[in-house]
Amino acid sequence: DAGVTQSPTHLIKTRGQQVTLRCSPISGHKSVSWYQQVLGQGPQFIFQYYEKEERGRGNFPDRFSARQFPNYSSELNVNALLLGDSALYLCASSFSGDYGYTFGSGTRLTVV
Amino acid sequence: GQNIDQPTEMTATEGAIVQINCTYQTSGFNGLFWYQQHAGEAPTFLSYNVLDGLEEKGRFSSFLSRSKGYSYLLLKELQMKDSASYLCAEGGDYGGATNKLIFGTGTLLAVQP
């Protein structure tokens, strides 16, 4: 069975650009959460989606947005990239937003 | 507030036992998680405690005391492959998000021969 898949695995962007990260949850999982992990820190919660609706949002600026599609896959968008947005972006899926989180391998974003 | 504290680094010897402590302060507590994360990889689930006491799973055990806001992860018979970052995370229903995880900064464990 495929786990949580994220694309791309690595990405380099320039300050001011926009980026879209993608996540496909485990088959049957209806909830997707996004986390940002800066080097040397623990992951920080960005968004949670369940059944295509936003369930919660972390302390991130409006430059960060996300959505969930009918097939439960999800996209995270970040506009007007800053150097500080350089991080590993992790997607986690679960059946109903419960504690059975499975993380994907992440997308390593570097902003130069 | 929401504040999770764990040591930044620890060193232990192959074959030994190591205990990684974690303290938390928050309301809406809904369980304490431990994840293992190797460099450049995704966190992988190790344990979940919601009630006080010890949960044992092979070489790994996790303990929770809700009254003290305290947990620890115990690793026995350490192997070189156990060298990784160990993340303590608190789960709770915050701001509408069900079971949002709040992570500590992680404890980088180095296992030496």
Side-chain angles (χ1 to χ4, degrees):
Chain A
D1 287 341
V4 179
T5 57
Q6 293 187 244
S7 63
T9 54
H10 295 84
L11 200 54
I12 299 175
K13 288 286 189 178
T14 306
R15 275 181 301 176
Q17 285 188 314
Q18 176 264 343
V19 69
T20 298
L21 310 181
R22 295 176 176 82
C23 171
S24 292
I26 290 173
S27 177
H29 283 192
K30 300 180 179 180
S31 179
V32 168
S33 298
W34 287 94
Y35 287 79
Q36 180 197 63
Q37 186 175 24
V38 173
L39 196 62
Q41 301 293 318
Q44 286 204 20
F45 174 78
I46 310 175
F47 285 109
Q48 183 188 70
Y49 277 79
Y50 175 66
E51 289 281 15
K52 295 155 286 190
E53 292 189 1
E54 182 182 302
R55 276 283 189 87
R57 182 188 183 109
N59 188 24
F60 281 81
D62 291 343
R63 299 185 295 108
F64 288 76
S65 64
R67 55 181 175 168
Q68 187 177 31
F69 299 98
N71 66 353
Y72 303 111
S73 67
S74 178
E75 286 182 351
L76 175 70
N77 295 283
V78 187
N79 293 324
L81 284 166
L82 303 174
L83 295 179
D85 295 330
S86 295
L88 180 67
Y89 288 84
L90 295 163
C91 173
S93 81
S94 64
F95 177 71
S96 61
D98 57 16
Y99 287 126
Y101 273 32
T102 301
F103 283 91
S105 297
T107 294
R108 172 71 64 186
L109 173 66
T110 302
V111 182
V112 297
Chain B
Q2 300 169 341
N3 188 26
I4 296 181
D5 289 321
Q6 54 181 129
T8 304
E9 296 181 355
M10 297 183 72
T11 302
T13 304
E14 192 175 14
I17 299 173
V18 70
Q19 178 174 312
I20 303 174
N21 297 322
C22 170
T23 59
Y24 63 91
Q25 298 176 330
T26 189
S27 60
F29 174 79
N30 229 345
L32 198 292
F33 294 75
W34 285 95
Y35 283 82
Q36 179 192 62
Q37 187 176 29
H38 286 98
E41 298 183 9
T44 54
F45 171 81
L46 290 178
S47 70
Y48 168 57
N49 294 69
V50 65
L51 300 176
D52 290 352
L54 187 68
E55 294 279 344
E56 297 187 77
K57 192 183 294 184
R59 294 191 299 117
F60 291 32
S61 302
S62 56
F63 172 83
L64 177 67
S65 169
R66 289 172 296 172
S67 62
K68 296 181 180 178
Y70 168 70
S71 173
Y72 68 72
L73 179 70
L74 194 71
L75 291 76
K76 306 174 186 175
E77 302 170 14
L78 281 172
Q79 302 174 9
M80 298 298 291
K81 67 178 182 178
D82 296 329
S83 294
S85 182
Y86 290 85
L87 299 163
C88 174
E90 179 185 351
D93 296 342
Y94 306 108
T98 60
N99 303 331
K100 164 187 168 182
L101 295 179
I102 300 171
F103 285 88
T105 56
T107 298
L108 187 60
L109 174 66
V111 179
Q112 297 178 340

